[in-house]
Amino acid sequence: MNISEMQSRIFHPMLNKEALKKMLTESTSGCTVKFRKVNGEERIMWATLNSSLMPPAKQDAVSPNSKKKTGITESDDHVVVWDLEKNAWRSFRCDSIIMISREKIESQFQK
């Protein structure tokens, strides 16, 4: 993939929280989220809010009629997502997002 193809598939990180959650819910294979952790390290996560990509026991946690059962408290500045590689709930701050894409981007782009 050349640079212009990659740029056309990468979405601006200044999405509002609802647009971000919609993207994570509607993606049929997950999204790559690159963000800066509290300790300053950058992390790339393959994440989703699409319940069909989660184990059956975790699917009810994203149901609009249920309270979150993730063990992580979502706040105005955090998004709780299912990490498809770690098979666990994770969260990140919205203002820490560097990049989000519907394409899976490997860690070679981390730096």
Side-chain angles (χ1 to χ4, degrees):
M1 174 182 329
N2 67 39
I3 296 292
S4 64
E5 287 174 330
M6 187 175 76
Q7 288 174 337
S8 71
R9 295 179 178 156
I10 295 175
F11 297 86
H12 196 277
M14 296 306 290
L15 292 170
N16 68 39
K17 184 175 179 178
E18 292 310 310
L20 176 63
K21 289 175 75 171
K22 181 177 180 184
M23 184 178 176
L24 288 159
T25 301
E26 292 177 352
S27 175
T28 58
S29 62
C31 294
T32 297
V33 182
K34 182 177 180 180
F35 62 96
R36 190 168 313 280
K37 294 169 48 172
V38 174
N39 68 4
E41 293 176 26
E42 289 183 3
R43 180 162 186 298
I44 293 180
M45 182 188 319
W46 187 238
T48 190
L49 286 174
N50 184 331
S51 61
S52 68
L53 299 175
M54 298 175 193
K58 302 296 181 183
Q59 291 176 358
D60 65 339
V62 294
S63 167
N65 299 323
S66 71
K67 293 183 179 176
K68 287 267 186 192
K69 299 174 186 171
T70 62
I72 300 172
T73 303
E74 185 169 301
S75 63
D76 289 342
D77 62 343
H78 280 79
V79 176
V80 177
V81 297
W82 183 255
D83 185 322
L84 291 160
E85 294 174 326
K86 297 196 182 276
N87 289 316
W89 292 108
R90 297 289 190 259
S91 70
F92 52 85
R93 290 185 342 267
C94 297
D95 65 356
S96 72
I97 297 172
I98 298 166
M99 178 274 302
I100 183 167
S101 173
R102 289 187 179 104
E103 303 284 327
K104 183 157 186 172
I105 299 175
E106 302 300 329
S107 61
Q108 69 216 31
F109 295 105
Q110 230 170 358
K111 297 185 180 189

